[in-house]
Amino acid sequence: MRGRRLGAGAVLVCALAGCTTSTPTPAATVPSTAPTPVRSATIDPAAAAQKQNVDDARAALATFNDLTNSTAQAGYDAEPLSPMMTGELRPAVIVAYRDYAERKLKQTGTSTIDAVTMVKYEPGPAGAGKERVTLDACRDNSGIDVVTPDGKSAISDEGPDRFVVTYVAAHQEDDRWTFDSATPDRERAC
């Protein structure tokens, strides 16, 4: 084959296929390695249940905040909030909302909650619910006002717009999450 020239197409095919016009050399053998077995992570049922409960409490807090905004914007009727309130929170909100409703106050804008962290987790009896989750949440009231019927603000300018509120959520036997308390700490700006 000496002296014979390869056409351009044959050269391209040989280049792509890795062939040469000289005597082929044996391919090097690559030792095969058996795949390393992957160990499956053992999931601790108690840790998984805790994570699920904390996630559920956080989701309930988001729902509670949305409901708080809508009831305040509608004139402070506490009845829609009642199913989500227990403990000391329920009577405190009912009294405050009754006062705001009698004064015909309404909230404008929306408060938000972010940076929610778990502070404490208390497991309930096995299989019975009743877990309690304490959450610190950054409440941002910078986008709201509470106004009188003539449009004047009823909020004093004291204190920060963003501060930490500690919520205690309780898992009820019917699988609802309620809130036993909501304690604002205006000294803890966030």
Side-chain angles (χ1 to χ4, degrees):
M1 286 194 110
R2 205 169 237 258
R4 191 166 172 213
R5 298 184 72 178
L6 295 174
V11 171
L12 179 60
V13 169
C14 279
L16 291 174
C19 63
T20 64
T21 57
S22 61
T23 309
T25 57
T29 58
V30 178
S32 70
T33 56
T36 305
V38 177
R39 292 186 181 174
S40 62
T42 304
I43 299 173
D44 176 15
Q50 177 177 330
K51 182 185 179 328
Q52 184 63 56
N53 285 322
V54 171
D55 289 348
D56 290 349
R58 282 185 173 134
L61 180 56
T63 300
F64 184 66
N65 187 64
D66 291 345
L67 194 54
T68 300
N69 279 314
S70 64
T71 58
Q73 292 164 346
Y76 291 99
D77 176 11
E79 188 58 36
L81 288 172
S82 289
M84 293 194 78
M85 296 185 300
T86 50
E88 66 187 45
L89 182 61
R90 185 184 176 109
V93 169
I94 289 172
V95 168
Y97 272 37
R98 186 175 300 136
D99 175 55
Y100 285 12
E102 287 172 359
R103 294 170 46 200
K104 298 185 182 351
L105 300 178
K106 287 188 179 181
Q107 175 180 306
T108 62
T110 303
S111 67
T112 59
I113 289 182
D114 57 30
V116 179
T117 58
M118 181 190 67
V119 175
K120 184 177 180 183
Y121 179 79
E122 300 171 58
K130 298 186 181 183
E131 297 83 7
R132 293 172 59 83
V133 179
T134 302
L135 302 169
D136 273 353
C138 181
R139 183 172 184 90
D140 186 346
N141 287 342
S142 63
I144 69 166
D145 197 0
V146 177
V147 296
T148 60
D150 60 356
K152 293 182 182 174
S153 179
I155 297 178
S156 70
D157 287 333
E158 297 174 17
D161 286 334
R162 291 177 55 89
F163 52 91
V164 174
V165 179
T166 301
Y167 294 89
V168 177
H171 193 189
Q172 303 300 319
E173 289 178 1
D174 63 0
D175 209 30
R176 284 180 308 126
W177 281 88
T178 61
F179 293 90
D180 287 348
S181 64
T183 309
D185 185 350
R186 294 183 187 276
E187 301 299 317
R188 288 176 59 196
C190 53

